[in-house]
Amino acid sequence: VRDAAAGRCRGSRGDGESHRCWKEKALKILAEIQAPLSLLTLRLCTWALLKLLNRLFLSVQLHHGQLEMVLRAAGTPGVPLVFLSTHKSQLDGPLLSFLLFSQGLGVPRVTVGSRTCSPRLRALLSRLGGIFLPLRTEQTPSDRDEGLPGAVLATYVEEVLRSRQPLLIFLEEPSISLHLSTAAREWLAMVYRAVRDGAIPDVLLVPVGIAYDAVP
């Protein structure tokens, strides 16, 4: 991140002021990607999700063979987990997060696709572990600002993996099945880059998914 900012600060007037400006921009981009987890909000939403599931479905069945595979992968020392999932419904993210959290795997960081979210929904999902690609505040970003969002995003993914926080990537959008989404390509590229650059020695890619008798 510092290199991306320094390359654009070089030759500008007032180095101290310029570096402060780029630091503020980097922090703003980071705030667009994620927010600190809120355990109180998480508990309230878990309670609400259980109520919702009881109204929507007759039962929720957990595949014990898949659960055993996930727990065995989680026991691998020193290797972060990256869960890969199809995306059938908007409920997939909260439901998978709840299932993984209830099995003692921690709160995963869940990639949220490119669909438009209101600021309030985006803030709520961020507090529950949702992560977003940085916003493009301008329709045609200048070359001067182009490199910093990518650098902040790449560094953030490296830190998530290095700290062994589970990462859940949805491979498609609910409305377009069996097609790798643009957002998924970008998240997978960040994971590949972290391994390629030696930020982490390896990752475990674990397939997970939800099937519905009738998609809500």
Side-chain angles (χ1 to χ4, degrees):
V1 173
R2 189 182 295 114
D3 290 344
R8 288 153 180 77
C9 291
R10 195 174 296 119
S12 62
R13 295 181 181 178
D15 285 344
E17 182 179 348
S18 180
H19 281 292
R20 279 195 300 273
C21 176
W22 281 105
K23 184 176 180 180
E24 289 174 2
K25 286 188 176 183
L27 291 174
K28 182 179 179 181
I29 294 167
L30 181 61
E32 294 172 355
I33 297 172
Q34 62 97 48
L37 294 173
S38 170
L39 292 180
L40 176 60
T41 304
L42 186 65
R43 291 190 181 100
L44 288 174
C45 288
T46 298
W47 173 83
L49 180 63
L50 287 173
K51 295 290 185 183
L52 178 64
L53 293 177
N54 286 331
R55 290 182 177 274
L56 282 179
F57 305 115
L58 293 175
S59 65
V60 177
Q61 300 175 0
L62 193 59
H63 192 292
H64 290 289
Q66 190 179 45
L67 176 61
E68 182 182 343
M69 178 191 69
V70 170
L71 293 176
R72 187 165 64 247
T76 306
V79 181
L81 295 179
V82 177
F83 297 106
L84 304 178
S85 176
T86 57
H87 206 182
K88 305 301 182 186
S89 163
Q90 303 295 0
L91 271 178
D92 290 358
L95 190 51
L96 276 173
S97 294
F98 167 69
L99 291 173
L100 295 172
F101 180 62
S102 68
Q103 297 302 315
L105 297 176
V107 182
R109 290 292 184 172
V110 183
T111 62
V112 180
S114 57
R115 66 182 185 275
T116 303
C117 291
S118 68
R120 288 185 178 182
L121 179 59
R122 190 182 180 101
L124 174 62
L125 293 176
S126 295
R127 290 292 185 176
L128 297 175
I131 54 176
F132 300 79
L133 295 174
L135 292 170
R136 298 294 184 262
T137 53
E138 297 176 352
Q139 292 183 352
T140 55
S142 66
D143 293 337
R144 178 179 173 83
D145 294 317
E146 198 171 34
L148 194 59
V152 174
L153 180 63
T155 304
Y156 173 74
V157 172
E158 288 179 6
E159 290 302 318
V160 167
L161 297 174
R162 190 180 289 120
S163 61
R164 298 201 63 199
Q165 297 180 62
L167 178 62
L168 172 58
I169 299 176
F170 286 110
L171 300 177
E172 58 193 15
E173 295 290 345
S175 57
I176 311 174
S177 60
L178 302 179
H179 179 77
L180 188 64
S181 69
T182 302
R185 288 179 191 274
E186 192 153 354
W187 288 112
L188 290 170
M190 293 296 104
V191 173
Y192 168 74
R193 176 177 169 177
V195 177
R196 183 199 65 190
D197 294 348
I200 51 172
D202 201 359
V203 294
L204 278 176
L205 302 179
V206 183
V208 295
I210 296 178
Y212 301 93
D213 290 337
V215 177

